[in-house]
Amino acid sequence: MNSFGRHFRVTTFGESHGPAIGVVVDGVPPRLPLDVAAIQTELDRRRPGQSALASGRREDDAVEILSGVYMGVTTGAPIAMLIANRDARPDDYRELASVFRPGHADFTWQAKYGVRDPRGGGRASGRETAVRVAAGAVARQLLLRRGVRVLGHVVEIGGIRAERFDEASLGSSPVRAADPEASVAMVHAIEAAQRDGDSLGGVVAVHARGVPAGWGDPVFGKLDAALAGALMGIGAVKAVEIGDGFALARLRGSEANDAPGPDGFASNHAGGIQGGISNGSEIVARVAVKPTPSIARPQATLDLAGAATTVSVRGRHDPCIAPRLVPVAEAMVCLVLVDAWLAQLLVEGGAAG
Amino acid sequence: MNSFGRHFRVTTFGESHGPAIGVVVDGVPPRLPLDVAAIQTELDRRRPGQSALASGRREDDAVEILSGVYMGVTTGAPIAMLIANRDARPDDYRELASVFRPGHADFTWQAKYGVRDPRGGGRASGRETAVRVAAGAVARQLLLRRGVRVLGHVVEIGGIRAERFDEASLGSSPVRAADPEASVAMVHAIEAAQRDGDSLGGVVAVHARGVPAGWGDPVFGKLDAALAGALMGIGAVKAVEIGDGFALARLRGSEANDAPGPDGFASNHAGGIQGGISNGSEIVARVAVKPTPSIARPQATLDLAGAATTVSVRGRHDPCIAPRLVPVAEAMVCLVLVDAWLAQLLVEGGAAG
Amino acid sequence: MNSFGRHFRVTTFGESHGPAIGVVVDGVPPRLPLDVAAIQTELDRRRPGQSALASGRREDDAVEILSGVYMGVTTGAPIAMLIANRDARPDDYRELASVFRPGHADFTWQAKYGVRDPRGGGRASGRETAVRVAAGAVARQLLLRRGVRVLGHVVEIGGIRAERFDEASLGSSPVRAADPEASVAMVHAIEAAQRDGDSLGGVVAVHARGVPAGWGDPVFGKLDAALAGALMGIGAVKAVEIGDGFALARLRGSEANDAPGPDGFASNHAGGIQGGISNGSEIVARVAVKPTPSIARPQATLDLAGAATTVSVRGRHDPCIAPRLVPVAEAMVCLVLVDAWLAQLLVEGGAAG
Amino acid sequence: MNSFGRHFRVTTFGESHGPAIGVVVDGVPPRLPLDVAAIQTELDRRRPGQSALASGRREDDAVEILSGVYMGVTTGAPIAMLIANRDARPDDYRELASVFRPGHADFTWQAKYGVRDPRGGGRASGRETAVRVAAGAVARQLLLRRGVRVLGHVVEIGGIRAERFDEASLGSSPVRAADPEASVAMVHAIEAAQRDGDSLGGVVAVHARGVPAGWGDPVFGKLDAALAGALMGIGAVKAVEIGDGFALARLRGSEANDAPGPDGFASNHAGGIQGGISNGSEIVARVAVKPTPSIARPQATLDLAGAATTVSVRGRHDPCIAPRLVPVAEAMVCLVLVDAWLAQLLVEGGAAG
C-alpha cells in the first residue's frame, strides 16, 4: 500500500539510499498552471542539512517533473516527480545491517517481509516523506485557489510549550515554533539532549483556514478520520487530536458544544469538524512526535541471529524530528483536504446535473 | 464513502428511523462455521435500553443473515446482515427538524448535501454503529481462530480515571471500567451531570493481544494509521493515541525506545507497533470521547432559516456515550486487524508461491 | 469482489434461493427525486415468468427501498434495495447438489471456495442480476436528466439476424428484437430448440445516445474497456464488440477512421469511443450470449466424488437467455456511463475550481 | 485512472515525447529474485525500429529499476521502472498540433481536458504500453513460478487468417503469426497497404496454459470480465472474445457446454473460464485490432478552431500494429492472472487460517 487518497491519488516509491525517490500524482485537474518553484520551496523546508539541529546529510532535493505538465500547465495526465539521492552513503549502514535498531522499523520490516534493505532504513526511512511534500505542494496550489491555507508549527518540544502564536516570528525560529521565547528554550533543550547522546520528542499543530462547510464524509470517510489516518501515517507520529482532543473528554456537553450563530460558531472545541464534515471554522489538528530513535547512547537490542547485543547509532540524525515534520504534516493535511474538495465536487456537481 | 477495509470489505447502510440498518461484508473467507449467536452477543453489548445510564430506546437489535452462509458455514459470498428499526419514533424529531442541534452533524450534513433526514440524525446517528459491531463480530471470529483477542474498557469518565485493570470486575461495571472503585465514582458523576441536564465525556482503551509481528504496512497503510482512521471514524471520538501517545512527546529517545530482547520487547511504549507494523507486543490504543451533544439544557443555535434560536434536546440519549462506545471501538479494531491479517497472507503466500 | 464502479459504487449480495437478494448503491448525488416506479418497471422487464419462452419461476421482484431516500428524495446516503425471493424451491436442486452441471459455475465455484450453495446456483445464479437492474435503474434516472438514453435489443438468436431496427416494434417482440419478421423466426427457433431439450444463444446490442464528448479515461479506465468489463461480467456473455468490433480488423485505415466534421463525425465505426473517451457519437456495444447451459438433454459430467455420470437439468430455465439479458446489459451500460459522468465532474469541476 | 489491478497494482505515467515513461508496481511479493534481463527481453519484443514493417522511431527502451529491489531480490517495496525517451522528435508534431488526426484520441482528449500535449499523442500514445510490458514481465516471472505460461500470436491480418499453429515458426515470423504461409501473405498485404499510404487491422490471440481451476471471481470480478477490460484497455483494440466468443451465440447448449470428465474437460468452448472462474483448461482470448489510424493518405478532419481541413499523417508509424500488440496483450493477460492468483491466496489462506 504505497498509494494515498481516493480522487487525488498519490503513489510513492524509492528507498533512502537507492538511486532516487519519486511520486506519481494521479487525478490532478487539467489546465492548472503548475508552480514548480513553489514545490521546490516546500521541499527545501523539509530537506536535511539546514541547521546544526538537523541531520548532516546533504541533499539538494531538486525535484524533476517527468510527466503531466505541458507548457507549464497540467494536462490531466499523472504528474510524476523524481528526486535523486545524491548524498547516499550506504556504507554507513553496513554494520547496522546485522542488528535491529531499537525504535525503528528494522525488526518489524524483517518480520513482515523476511528480507530488508538495511541502508538507512530503506523504504522505511523518513526520506520517503520528501515526495509526500512534493505531492502535497501540488495539492496546496489547488487549495490556495480555493482560499484554503494550511499552516503548521511546533507547539511543544521536550516538555517546553509555546505559549503564544506569533506568526511573524515563525520564519526565524530554528525549531518552527511561533513563540520566540519558547523557541530559544526548545533549542537549548535539543542541544542538551544531543550532548547526552539522546533525543527529544514534541508536538506539532496544523491549522487549515478557509475550508468551507461541507467537506468530508459522514460515516467512514470522516474528515477527522482521514486526517488522523494521514497524520498517524507519518513515521514518528503516535497520537492525533482534532480540536480540543483529549481535553474534550474532561468537558461537559454544555461546555464542549460549539453553538452555531449568525456570524459563525461561537467556539471551536471541535476543531472545525462536526459529524466528520467541516463546519467552516478553522480546522485544527495536533500530533505527538516521538523522540528520534537513533541515538548515540548504547542501547540493548538483538542481532539478526536473535542474540542479545548493544548498539550505538551514530550516522546523521536529527536529535528532534518535530521541526522537520512540520512541512510533512502540512503536506498530509493538504492531501486530505484536496481529496475532500474533489469528493465534494461529486456531491455538488451530481446534485446540479 | 460507506465502505471500510480493503480485503475484508464492509459496506453499511440505513438511517436511525428508517425501516432497517444493514451491512454487507465482502471478503469473508469460505468454510468458516459462522457463530450467529456470538454476533448477537456483541450487538447486545452495544444496544440501547440496558441501564438507567443509557438511552431509553428499546431495540432488540436482532440480526438477520441474508446471504453468504449455507448450512451454517460461510461460502465466500458476501454476508449481508439486517437489523430492523423497531422502536423508531420519527415524530420525536419533528420539532428538531427546523433547528441545528449544537455538537451534532445537523449543520454540516445540511451544508454538504443541501438536504437532510432529520429523524434522529438519520444516517449520522450512532445507531449506524450497530452494524459495524455486527461486521466486527464476524472479524472477531476470524481473529480468535488466529489467537488474537480484542478487549476494550473505559479508562476515564468526567475526569475520573481507572487506576487499575481488574478484568474480572469488568462484566459487572455499568460503565465498563475495570476498576470497581472508579466505576462507582464514574456512575455518580454521570448521574450528577444528568441531573444538571448535562453530559460527560471519557476515554476508552482497546487492547489486542496475540497479534503476531508483521501485520500492517510500512508507508501509507501503517497499522497505527489504520487504527487511528478507524477509531476517529466513530462519531464522538476526537483523539487517538497508540501506546504512550502524547506522553511520548515528553520522553527522551533512551526512555521511549522499546528494546527487543530474546524474550520479546523490554517495554511497550510504542503500543505494539513500530514503523507501522506490529512487533508482537500487545497493541494498545486509546480514544477521547466527547460529551454527548444532546443535552436538556437550553443552548443557543440557529434554525434552518439562519435565525438565532434556543434548543433543548430531550429525547432518549446516553448522558455519557463512552461505555456504549466500547464494543464499537473493539469492532473497529477487529476490522482493521482482520484486514491486516489478510494483507499479510498476500505477502507470505506470495513469497512462498 | 461484489462491488462495481468507482464513484457510483454498487455492492450486491444474495443467493438465488436464500431469503432475499439486495444491493447497496453508494455515491448517488443528493436531492434527486427518486422514481421508485421506474425502478420497478426495469425489474419487471427482467423478471421471470413473463412468457412461455422464459423460466416459469414466479417472482414479483418487488423492490423495497431501505435507506438513502427521505420524502421521495435522495439524501446522499447509500440507497439499499431489497428483493425477496418468494418462489424459491431449494428442493428442486437437491439431486443437483451432487453433480456439476456442465456449462455452469458449479465446478469452478467448488474449485475456488471448496464449498458451494447448490440451490439454483446460489450466488452464481442469474437471479443476482435483478439487483444490478435495480441499481442500473437509479443510474438511468441520473443519465436521463443529462439527456442520455440507453437502449438494448436482440440482434441475433440461433443464427437468425435482425436486419432492420424498427424501434416501435420492440415492445411487442417476445424476444426483444426490433425486426418483426426476424422476431417471429427467432421465436420459432427457440421453440424448436426447446422441443429438442436444447437451448440457443444470441447477440444483444446496446446503444447509448446523448453521451457528450469527453466521458471515459485515456489509459486504464477507457470507456470501451469499462463497458467490455461490465458486459463480460454478465453471466452468459463471452464476447464484446464496440462499434464495428471484429469487422474493424478487416478494414483499412482509410475506411475505418471516423472523420470529424463541422456537423459531427462522418461515420461511426468506432462506436462513439476514440482513445477510450466518448466522441459525441452514439455509443454502440454488442455482446455474444452463449446458449443456456441448463438443458433437458442428458449430458456427461462428474459427480462431487469425481466419478463420471450423466445429468439432465430440468427445473425452470429460459431456453434462450438473450431477451432477458437485454435489461441487464442496459443496466450495466447505465452503471458505466453514470460513473464516467461523475468522473468527468471531477475533471471539469477541478479545472474550474 | 492510471492504475490497474487490485493486489498487484500497476501505476503508469509519462508521455510519448516527454523525458521518460515509467511505472510503479505495488504488491510484488518479497524475496523474488527479479530477472531484469527477462524484463528487457519483453521490452525488446515490443520496441519500435525492429523491421521495415514497424515504426522507424529508434528507442533502446532500456529499463532502469529505481526501487523495490535489493541485492537482486524484491523487498516488498514498490518497484519503480523508468524508460527514457531518447528519440523523441516533438517538432515532427508541430503542424499536427492544430488539427485533430482522425481515428486518434486528439479530438476526445481535447474535449475531455480542454488542453492537450500534441507531441505524438502525448499520454495517449502507444508508447505508454512499453511500461505495461515492463510490469507484465514482472507478473510473468511470478506466474512462471506457478507453472503458468502466457503466449500470444497474430491470427489474422487484413483478412488473411493463420490456419494452423506451428509454435516453432513463431520466432521467425515478422508478423508474429504461427502459420508460415499465412505469415508471408500477411507481410505482403501490409506492404501493399503501406504502398497505398494506408494501413491494416488484425486479430491477436492470447493463450494461458497452466492456470489452475479456481482463479477469478464469480460476480463482478469475473476472470473473463477482467481480461476483457484489460485487453480492451489497449489502444487499438475494439473487440474481445473469450473461448469461442461470438461463435457461441450460434451454437446450441448441447454443443456449447464443456463436459467435465475424469481427465479434464472434453472441450473448451468456454476458453477455460466458467462462471467467471478458471476451470483448469487453457485460457483463450482473442482481440480485434483496428487498422493504424495514422496514414499518409489525405483525410478530411477539423482544425482546433473547428474548421474543416485535410490532414496527411506522415511521421513514423506501423502500417499494422497487430504484431507489436502481441507482447502488450500478453502483458495485460499476465497482469490480470497474477492479480487473480493473489486474490485466490486470500481465499485459500483465509479458509486455512
Side-chain angles (χ1 to χ4, degrees):
Chain A
M1 261 290 288
N2 294 279
S3 295
F4 181 86
R6 191 170 152 80
H7 306 297
F8 191 90
R9 185 94 182 144
V10 171
T11 301
T12 73
F13 60 86
E15 286 89 39
S16 181
H17 292 257
I21 53 174
V23 61
V24 185
V25 188
D26 201 1
V28 182
R31 308 201 299 272
L32 169 77
L34 193 72
D35 184 344
V36 180
I39 299 173
Q40 191 61 54
T41 298
E42 291 301 319
L43 284 165
D44 291 346
R45 291 177 67 209
R46 194 216 68 95
R47 78 182 158 84
Q50 297 179 95
S51 85
L53 297 175
S55 160
R57 181 166 172 173
R58 295 274 155 196
E59 292 286 355
D60 60 2
D61 280 0
V63 67
E64 185 187 6
I65 311 276
L66 293 181
S67 65
V69 180
Y70 179 64
M71 310 274 280
V73 166
T74 62
T75 62
I79 297 178
M81 295 183 280
L82 208 65
I83 299 174
N85 291 327
R86 303 196 195 281
D87 190 21
R89 298 190 196 162
D91 292 350
D92 281 13
Y93 295 90
R94 196 159 289 164
E95 65 180 296
L96 292 175
S98 59
V99 297
F100 298 119
R101 293 168 300 163
H104 276 281
D106 297 358
F107 177 89
T108 53
W109 186 292
Q110 185 76 32
K112 182 172 193 70
Y113 294 110
V115 65
R116 189 164 60 93
D117 177 346
R119 302 168 300 169
R123 177 105 184 108
S125 165
R127 181 143 184 78
E128 180 268 337
T129 61
V131 291
R132 299 196 199 187
V133 169
V138 177
R140 191 190 292 265
Q141 293 182 37
L142 286 158
L143 292 170
L144 282 171
R145 294 159 69 93
R146 306 282 303 172
V148 175
R149 185 166 167 249
V150 173
L151 178 75
H153 54 110
V154 166
V155 293
E156 184 179 329
I157 282 180
I160 299 161
R161 297 191 190 197
E163 301 292 341
R164 57 196 182 98
F165 182 74
D166 172 14
E167 190 174 337
S169 74
L170 201 47
S172 58
S173 166
V175 290
R176 292 205 168 99
D179 173 338
E181 294 75 32
S183 175
V184 170
M186 290 172 183
V187 169
H188 291 164
I190 294 173
E191 289 167 345
Q194 198 168 20
R195 278 192 302 270
D196 296 347
D198 217 328
S199 63
L200 293 183
V203 177
V204 168
V206 185
H207 303 254
R209 295 173 191 155
V211 175
W215 290 11
D217 241 45
V219 180
F220 288 120
K222 284 188 168 73
L223 191 57
D224 31 12
L227 289 169
L231 292 166
M232 198 76 99
I234 303 170
V237 173
K238 296 299 280 188
V240 181
E241 293 185 311
I242 303 297
D244 289 355
F246 276 99
L248 278 168
R250 283 130 215 167
L251 297 183
R252 285 188 159 200
S254 57
E255 300 164 314
N257 285 343
D258 299 314
D263 304 315
F265 284 83
S267 55
N268 191 18
H269 300 289
I273 304 172
Q274 281 177 319
I277 302 170
S278 62
N279 68 6
S281 297
E282 185 175 72
I283 290 175
V284 183
R286 253 182 321 279
V287 302
V289 183
K290 70 172 186 176
T292 311
S294 293
I295 55 176
R297 286 194 172 199
Q299 301 176 81
T301 189
L302 291 180
D303 64 20
L304 277 183
T309 182
T310 296
V311 67
S312 169
V313 184
R314 297 191 184 270
R316 303 169 291 177
H317 306 287
D318 298 74
C320 176
I321 202 69
R324 281 185 61 211
L325 197 132
V326 169
V328 180
E330 287 178 11
M332 294 310 294
V333 169
C334 287
L335 293 178
V336 168
L337 290 178
V338 85
D339 217 36
W341 163 55
L342 290 169
Q344 185 62 1
L345 286 182
L346 291 177
V347 170
E348 290 172 7
Chain B
M1 260 290 288
N2 294 280
S3 294
F4 181 87
R6 191 169 151 83
H7 306 297
F8 192 90
R9 185 93 182 143
V10 170
T11 301
T12 73
F13 59 86
E15 286 89 40
S16 181
H17 292 256
I21 53 174
V23 61
V24 184
V25 188
D26 202 0
V28 183
R31 306 201 300 270
L32 168 77
L34 192 72
D35 184 344
V36 179
I39 299 172
Q40 191 61 54
T41 298
E42 291 301 319
L43 284 165
D44 291 347
R45 290 177 68 209
R46 195 215 68 95
R47 78 182 157 84
Q50 296 178 96
S51 86
L53 297 176
S55 159
R57 181 167 170 174
R58 295 274 156 198
E59 293 286 353
D60 61 2
D61 280 0
V63 67
E64 184 187 6
I65 311 277
L66 293 182
S67 66
V69 181
Y70 179 64
M71 310 275 281
V73 166
T74 61
T75 62
I79 298 179
M81 295 184 279
L82 209 65
I83 298 174
N85 290 328
R86 302 196 196 283
D87 191 19
R89 296 189 199 163
D91 293 352
D92 282 15
Y93 294 90
R94 194 158 292 166
E95 65 181 295
L96 292 176
S98 59
V99 298
F100 298 119
R101 294 168 300 164
H104 276 279
D106 296 358
F107 178 88
T108 52
W109 186 292
Q110 185 76 33
K112 181 174 194 67
Y113 295 111
V115 65
R116 189 165 60 94
D117 176 347
R119 302 167 302 169
R123 177 105 183 108
S125 166
R127 182 145 184 75
E128 180 266 341
T129 61
V131 291
R132 300 195 197 187
V133 169
V138 177
R140 191 190 291 267
Q141 293 183 37
L142 286 158
L143 292 170
L144 282 171
R145 295 159 68 96
R146 305 281 306 172
V148 175
R149 187 168 165 248
V150 173
L151 178 77
H153 54 110
V154 166
V155 293
E156 185 179 328
I157 281 180
I160 299 160
R161 296 189 190 199
E163 302 292 341
R164 59 198 181 98
F165 183 71
D166 172 15
E167 190 174 337
S169 75
L170 201 48
S172 59
S173 165
V175 290
R176 291 205 168 99
D179 173 338
E181 294 74 32
S183 175
V184 170
M186 290 172 182
V187 169
H188 291 162
I190 294 173
E191 290 167 345
Q194 197 168 23
R195 276 193 305 269
D196 296 346
D198 218 327
S199 63
L200 293 183
V203 177
V204 168
V206 185
H207 303 252
R209 295 172 190 156
V211 175
W215 290 12
D217 243 43
V219 180
F220 288 120
K222 284 189 168 71
L223 191 57
D224 29 13
L227 288 169
L231 291 166
M232 198 75 99
I234 303 172
V237 172
K238 296 299 280 187
V240 181
E241 295 185 310
I242 303 296
D244 289 356
F246 276 97
L248 278 167
R250 284 131 214 166
L251 296 183
R252 286 187 157 202
S254 57
E255 300 164 313
N257 284 343
D258 298 313
D263 305 315
F265 283 83
S267 55
N268 191 19
H269 300 289
I273 304 173
Q274 282 176 321
I277 303 171
S278 61
N279 68 5
S281 297
E282 184 174 74
I283 289 174
V284 183
R286 254 182 321 279
V287 302
V289 183
K290 71 173 185 175
T292 311
S294 294
I295 56 175
R297 284 193 173 201
Q299 301 176 81
T301 190
L302 292 179
D303 64 20
L304 277 183
T309 182
T310 297
V311 67
S312 168
V313 185
R314 298 193 183 272
R316 303 168 293 177
H317 306 287
D318 298 74
C320 176
I321 202 69
R324 281 184 63 210
L325 197 132
V326 168
V328 180
E330 288 178 11
M332 293 311 293
V333 170
C334 287
L335 292 179
V336 168
L337 291 178
V338 86
D339 217 37
W341 163 55
L342 290 170
Q344 185 61 1
L345 286 181
L346 290 177
V347 171
E348 290 172 7
Chain C
M1 260 290 288
N2 294 278
S3 294
F4 182 86
R6 191 169 152 80
H7 306 295
F8 191 90
R9 185 93 182 144
V10 170
T11 302
T12 73
F13 60 86
E15 286 90 39
S16 180
H17 292 257
I21 54 175
V23 62
V24 185
V25 188
D26 202 0
V28 182
R31 308 200 299 272
L32 168 78
L34 192 73
D35 184 344
V36 179
I39 300 173
Q40 192 61 53
T41 298
E42 291 301 318
L43 284 165
D44 292 346
R45 289 177 69 210
R46 195 216 67 96
R47 77 183 158 85
Q50 297 179 95
S51 86
L53 297 176
S55 159
R57 181 165 170 174
R58 295 274 156 198
E59 292 287 354
D60 61 2
D61 279 0
V63 67
E64 185 186 5
I65 311 277
L66 293 182
S67 67
V69 181
Y70 179 64
M71 309 275 281
V73 166
T74 61
T75 62
I79 298 179
M81 295 183 278
L82 208 66
I83 299 174
N85 290 327
R86 302 195 196 283
D87 191 20
R89 296 188 197 163
D91 293 352
D92 282 14
Y93 293 91
R94 194 159 290 166
E95 65 180 297
L96 292 176
S98 60
V99 298
F100 298 119
R101 294 167 301 164
H104 276 280
D106 296 358
F107 177 89
T108 53
W109 187 291
Q110 185 76 33
K112 181 173 194 68
Y113 295 110
V115 64
R116 187 165 61 93
D117 177 347
R119 301 168 301 168
R123 176 106 184 108
S125 165
R127 182 145 184 76
E128 181 267 340
T129 61
V131 291
R132 300 196 197 186
V133 169
V138 177
R140 191 190 292 267
Q141 293 181 37
L142 286 159
L143 292 170
L144 282 171
R145 295 159 68 94
R146 305 282 304 172
V148 175
R149 186 165 166 250
V150 173
L151 178 76
H153 54 110
V154 166
V155 294
E156 184 179 329
I157 282 181
I160 299 161
R161 295 189 191 200
E163 301 292 342
R164 59 198 182 96
F165 182 73
D166 172 15
E167 190 175 335
S169 75
L170 201 48
S172 58
S173 165
V175 290
R176 292 206 168 99
D179 173 338
E181 295 75 33
S183 175
V184 170
M186 289 172 183
V187 169
H188 291 164
I190 294 173
E191 290 168 345
Q194 196 168 23
R195 277 192 305 269
D196 295 347
D198 217 329
S199 63
L200 293 182
V203 177
V204 168
V206 184
H207 303 253
R209 294 173 191 157
V211 174
W215 290 12
D217 242 44
V219 179
F220 288 120
K222 283 188 169 73
L223 191 58
D224 31 11
L227 288 169
L231 292 166
M232 198 74 100
I234 303 171
V237 172
K238 295 299 281 187
V240 181
E241 293 185 312
I242 302 297
D244 289 356
F246 276 98
L248 277 168
R250 283 133 214 164
L251 296 184
R252 286 186 157 202
S254 57
E255 301 164 314
N257 284 344
D258 298 314
D263 305 316
F265 284 83
S267 55
N268 191 18
H269 299 290
I273 304 172
Q274 282 177 321
I277 302 171
S278 62
N279 68 5
S281 297
E282 184 174 75
I283 289 176
V284 184
R286 255 182 319 280
V287 302
V289 183
K290 71 174 185 173
T292 310
S294 293
I295 55 176
R297 284 194 173 202
Q299 300 176 82
T301 191
L302 291 179
D303 64 20
L304 276 184
T309 181
T310 296
V311 67
S312 168
V313 185
R314 295 189 185 274
R316 302 169 292 177
H317 307 287
D318 298 75
C320 176
I321 201 69
R324 281 185 62 210
L325 197 134
V326 168
V328 180
E330 287 178 11
M332 294 310 294
V333 169
C334 287
L335 292 179
V336 168
L337 290 178
V338 86
D339 218 36
W341 163 56
L342 290 169
Q344 185 62 1
L345 287 182
L346 290 177
V347 171
E348 290 172 8
Chain D
M1 259 289 287
N2 293 279
S3 295
F4 181 86
R6 191 170 152 81
H7 305 297
F8 191 89
R9 185 94 182 144
V10 171
T11 301
T12 73
F13 59 87
E15 287 87 40
S16 181
H17 293 256
I21 53 174
V23 61
V24 185
V25 188
D26 201 0
V28 182
R31 307 201 298 273
L32 169 77
L34 193 72
D35 184 345
V36 179
I39 299 173
Q40 192 60 56
T41 298
E42 291 301 319
L43 283 165
D44 291 346
R45 291 178 67 209
R46 194 215 69 94
R47 77 182 158 85
Q50 297 178 93
S51 85
L53 297 175
S55 159
R57 181 167 171 173
R58 295 271 155 199
E59 292 287 354
D60 61 2
D61 280 0
V63 68
E64 184 187 6
I65 310 277
L66 293 182
S67 66
V69 180
Y70 179 64
M71 310 275 280
V73 166
T74 62
T75 62
I79 298 178
M81 295 184 279
L82 207 66
I83 299 174
N85 290 327
R86 302 196 196 281
D87 190 20
R89 298 190 197 162
D91 293 351
D92 282 14
Y93 294 92
R94 195 158 290 167
E95 65 179 295
L96 292 176
S98 60
V99 298
F100 298 119
R101 293 168 301 163
H104 276 280
D106 296 357
F107 177 88
T108 53
W109 186 291
Q110 185 76 34
K112 182 174 192 68
Y113 295 110
V115 65
R116 187 164 63 92
D117 178 347
R119 302 167 300 168
R123 177 104 184 110
S125 164
R127 180 141 186 79
E128 180 267 339
T129 61
V131 290
R132 300 196 198 187
V133 169
V138 177
R140 192 190 291 266
Q141 293 182 37
L142 286 159
L143 292 170
L144 282 171
R145 294 159 69 94
R146 306 281 306 172
V148 175
R149 187 168 165 247
V150 173
L151 178 77
H153 54 110
V154 166
V155 295
E156 185 179 328
I157 281 180
I160 299 161
R161 296 189 190 201
E163 301 292 340
R164 58 198 182 95
F165 182 73
D166 172 16
E167 190 175 335
S169 73
L170 201 47
S172 58
S173 166
V175 289
R176 293 207 166 97
D179 173 338
E181 294 76 32
S183 175
V184 171
M186 290 172 183
V187 169
H188 291 162
I190 293 174
E191 290 167 345
Q194 198 168 20
R195 278 193 302 270
D196 296 347
D198 217 328
S199 64
L200 293 182
V203 177
V204 168
V206 184
H207 304 253
R209 295 173 191 154
V211 175
W215 290 11
D217 241 45
V219 180
F220 288 120
K222 284 188 168 72
L223 191 58
D224 30 14
L227 288 169
L231 291 166
M232 198 76 99
I234 304 171
V237 172
K238 296 298 281 188
V240 181
E241 295 185 311
I242 302 297
D244 289 356
F246 276 99
L248 277 168
R250 283 130 214 167
L251 297 183
R252 286 186 157 200
S254 57
E255 300 164 315
N257 284 343
D258 298 314
D263 305 316
F265 284 83
S267 55
N268 191 18
H269 299 290
I273 303 172
Q274 282 177 320
I277 303 170
S278 62
N279 68 6
S281 297
E282 185 175 74
I283 289 176
V284 183
R286 253 182 321 278
V287 302
V289 183
K290 71 172 185 176
T292 310
S294 292
I295 55 176
R297 286 194 171 200
Q299 301 176 80
T301 190
L302 290 181
D303 64 19
L304 276 182
T309 183
T310 297
V311 67
S312 168
V313 185
R314 298 195 183 270
R316 302 168 293 176
H317 306 287
D318 298 74
C320 177
I321 202 69
R324 281 185 62 210
L325 197 133
V326 168
V328 181
E330 288 178 12
M332 294 310 294
V333 169
C334 287
L335 292 179
V336 167
L337 291 177
V338 86
D339 217 36
W341 163 56
L342 290 170
Q344 185 63 1
L345 286 182
L346 289 178
V347 170
E348 289 172 7

